[in-house]
Amino acid sequence: MKATFNFMKRSSRLKLVTALVCLSALGTGAMSAATWKIDAAKAGPGNIDKAPPGTPKRAGWSVEKVADATAGVILSGLNEGESNPIPVVIPKAGTYRVWVRHYHTPGKYTSFYVLFRDSLGQSLDFHNIDFKPNVATAKPEAAESPAAKDAKPGFVWTSFDITFERPMEGTLSFGPTMGLANGKIGIDCVIITDEKSFDPVKADVAKIGSDAGAMQPQTPPAGMQPAPVITAHSSFFAGETDPEKQYMLAFLNQGPTYHDYAWAVQMGGNFDHGWSNGSSRYGIGTEAIADYGYMNANIAKSIPEPAGRFVNSEGKMGKNFSISYEPFRKAYMEAMVKNLGDLKDNTDIKVFGASDEGSGYFDYGDAAKAGFHSWLNQKFGSIEKLNTLWNSQYKSFDEIPLPQKPTEKDNKALWFAFREFSGLELANFIAAKAKVIRDHDPLHRHSTSQSSCLEINSATFTAGGPMDFEDVINVGFAHEP
């Protein structure tokens, strides 16, 4: 247990001793074998992270009727986010074998994990199931054996061992991994047993009960008396309970990664991103996004295509709006005001993200073109000055085209100017969102950026978008502390 604190006192001296501990199986004694089954469908539809009102509906887990499932239903659907937790009782300390019955298509993968948490929400152990990584790893997962030519899709059993260091009430949940996922997702049930010889293929699974039995009491060593475990809190490491006075250190989880607040606390973290799920009790603030991307269904309905849409360098119109299109910007900021009202009572939220991981666009639409010409006029003051500096012969700013990616023979000045303008459009858009947050959040929470470090470290990302980090800081967040 990584960051759970336990207090124990020696009865003869009544002296408190504080330590990071992993409780061992103290005085477990003899106990008969335990085997019980948990139906995955008990997780129910949806995810553990609850999105606030006004957000787009997320495709999460669902319950589906399947004839050959052990209970007639499975947990299925799109593999997005951690499932709702299923209560589980571990009757005694020790090593258990966990069997998972899931749908498998030979040659395809569903890439999901099985996760156990304790009663405080701390993750105890997880295992990837039906998994194939989508990137190279230092320690590759075991390769799947080649499927027989006549192999058919269907349910299979996968097992792993897990050691519980004490009896406990906890939870079981499922979630997506950062692997390839192109097979049908279907989780039937989980069997937990301390009987290593147990074989679910030979057993009558339908007759296995769901009762794990009562938790066996532990007997502490002589002279020791257990005390309740308290929730890990970031102030243990920061020495400061007020999050406004703590140095902000965030561990940003990808969408498929589950939250482990105890681990974050132990690593010195006190912030995370994504929709909150009671993180404030651990002293961890949530960075919530006050807007939901460049496409909003209500705005799209109010401004029908093709008005204000982004156009790429080949002249193809996209679904997203151009951030240079003023009617869109106005509607977008109005939607943000409403969203901030929906989030005003969520005390888990400590800051709002005014930018996502996007790095902007090279926009070739009419609004961007007009904005570029206006920006050039402000920057140079006259077309004569621009021609002198660029060694060009334009008759007016309106004559200047939006450049394609330059070749070795092209004048690079036009391309660099267009890139600078496109990056500033993003920075000014962020600044407008940060102002909405300052003006309309009743708790006056700060704005921050969720921009990816890949925009600095990866040439592929840098070439793909015009974002300039200095402009994001100096323009987008000019009014932030």
Side-chain angles (χ1 to χ4, degrees), residues 242-253:
D242 184 356
E244 293 291 331
K245 297 179 181 179
Q246 293 179 3
Y247 176 79
M248 292 173 57
L249 176 62
F251 295 94
L252 300 185
N253 292 326

Side-chain angles (χ1 to χ4, degrees), residues 453-466:
C453 61
L454 289 171
E455 308 299 344
I456 295 178
N457 300 326
S458 170
T460 301
F461 278 73
T462 303

Side-chain angles (χ1 to χ4, degrees), residues 145-165:
S145 300
K149 293 183 179 180
D150 59 348
K152 298 290 191 299
F155 285 102
V156 298
W157 288 98
T158 299
S159 68
F160 59 88
D161 290 347
I162 177 173
T163 298
F164 293 98
E165 297 168 334

